[in-house]
Amino acid sequence: MPRPRTQISPHLDYADLTQRYVQCQDAGEKNRWLVIRLLSHPKTPMSIEQTAEICGLSCSGVRKIARRYNAEGAVGLVNRQRLNPGGNRLALSDEQQRLLRQRLQSAPDDGGLWSGPKVGEYIETYFGICLHPSTAWKYLRRLGLSLQVPHPVHHQSATLEQQAEFKAGLAGHVAWLRSLFPNREIVIWAEDEARLGLQPIVRRVWAPIGERPSAHHSRRYQWVYTYGFVHPATGASYFLLLPRANVSMMQMALELFAAQVNPHRQQLIILLVDQAAWHMSQKLQVPPGIFFYPLLPYTLQLQPTECVWSLLREAIANQVFDNLDALEDVLVKRCQWLMQHPVIVQGKVGFDWIQAI
């Protein structure tokens, strides 16, 4: 025998239900208003099955919403978290949020680091709102904060104002070269070196819950240097594996790069480099058509090539190599793959401020 059609109590007429549905800002609550609205249409009320398909719910879920509405009216559809301690009913005022955000900028009274329980204690002491320690962290979410590991930055790194001046200076330098050479293409590349060796790199991997993965490990101190050239605008790249980082190796890398990327000297290449000794040495003879543009000291965040090393290290992570030859075999294949996939590289090195120049 077929189940009888679910009847909806007339707590609100169809116009009121439509208005509540349109004005509701909470996604879950809005969906529940849609359920009641579809079931109580004055001319063509929908079945439980049709309503469940439209709202993305199960038939039992739709019946549960209908029963709650019939028993409690509009109150049965609201987001009940609003009525719980720590919900929106106890949300801090704008002034209290400003004071809390200001307090979080300095260390807590014990000199340690802020945590959910410490935030809850502060809120209870100064604002009179008692929260369970396990839920106090939600106030940090309301302030737009998240738990993150700080990015290490050298204490002598350039300030934001100095970085802005550097970017403006680079843009002015490019404009100057374009005025001097209107018939030549001016492009910006970046170069850096990464030291990779037999000392293993450990990376996180996905694994079944309850089973901690392991990776073989053996510390040895033999190295190879990867010289990387990247073009932020397109993701084009050029890599070399050399035994050392010094003036003679840099000279070789520059000559091979110029021959590969700009053999007919049709372009003028501005090459962003850090201020390492082998970059700034007077013994280094920069090939024609390439102009060095030194980065600010200790400011790696301005170096696009720094961002590509994670793609290179990924290929050798969680592995142990018997010797440098075995390591270089993997690195060569990875470098070739990166050079053949500029879109992947561009996603890492395509700094907006460089592409805008």
Side-chain angles (χ1 to χ4, degrees), residues 24-266:
C24 183
Q25 300 296 319
D26 184 275
E29 183 178 329
K30 190 180 185 74
N31 203 34
R32 291 191 286 272
W33 281 113
L34 179 59
V35 167
I36 302 303
R37 181 171 174 268
L38 295 176
L39 292 175
S40 58
H41 194 281
K43 295 183 179 180
T44 56
M46 292 191 175
S47 65
I48 293 292
E49 291 76 13
Q50 291 173 321
T51 303
E53 183 176 359
I54 292 175
C55 298
L57 301 170
S58 64
C59 293
S60 60
V62 172
R63 294 190 182 96
K64 182 179 179 180
I65 292 172
R67 288 195 299 268
R68 183 182 296 176
Y69 177 78
N70 289 339
E72 304 177 24
V75 178
L77 301 184
V78 300
N79 185 351
R80 299 199 173 193
Q81 288 184 347
R82 298 180 184 178
L83 308 178
N84 296 334
N88 289 338
R89 182 173 61 87
L90 294 178
L92 300 178
S93 66
D94 292 342
E95 178 62 18
Q96 289 173 330
Q97 291 184 34
R98 185 190 68 81
L99 293 174
L100 178 58
R101 186 181 289 106
Q102 183 178 358
R103 180 66 184 88
L104 292 174
Q105 293 177 359
S106 57
D109 294 337
D110 62 3
L113 300 174
W114 284 105
S115 63
K118 292 180 184 179
V119 172
E121 181 180 352
Y122 179 84
I123 292 174
E124 180 179 3
T125 301
Y126 290 93
F127 305 134
I129 299 177
C130 183
L131 301 174
H132 191 278
S134 64
T135 61
W137 64 270
K138 293 181 180 179
Y139 274 92
L140 299 176
R141 293 285 190 182
R142 291 192 182 122
L143 294 176
L145 305 177
S146 62
L147 188 63
Q148 303 180 43
V149 177
H151 178 67
V153 177
H154 197 281
H155 70 284
Q156 297 182 14
S157 176
T159 63
L160 294 178
E161 292 77 11
Q162 292 171 330
Q163 294 180 41
E165 292 177 2
F166 171 85
K167 296 173 183 178
L170 177 60
H173 186 68
V174 172
W176 176 68
L177 286 178
R178 286 172 178 166
S179 65
L180 290 180
F181 306 97
N183 298 324
R184 302 281 292 276
E185 182 183 6
I186 312 298
V187 296
I188 299 176
W189 283 71
E191 189 276 337
D192 194 27
E193 303 87 22
R195 187 181 71 171
L196 302 170
L198 301 184
Q199 185 169 325
I201 299 172
V202 179
R203 288 282 185 88
R204 293 185 297 176
V205 297
W206 290 99
I209 296 176
E211 298 181 14
R212 184 172 182 178
S214 60
H216 293 289
H217 196 271
S218 177
R219 286 186 177 273
R220 286 167 295 167
Y221 301 93
Q222 296 178 14
W223 313 99
V224 63
Y225 290 83
T226 303
Y227 286 66
F229 299 80
V230 298
H231 185 218
T234 63
S237 59
Y238 183 70
F239 297 96
L240 292 165
L241 297 182
L242 297 173
R244 288 174 297 279
N246 55 30
V247 175
S248 60
M249 294 294 103
M250 185 65 193
Q251 185 72 55
M252 181 188 304
L254 283 174
E255 293 173 355
L256 292 172
F257 166 72
Q260 177 69 29
V261 175
N262 194 25
H264 304 295
R265 302 179 185 176
Q266 297 176 345

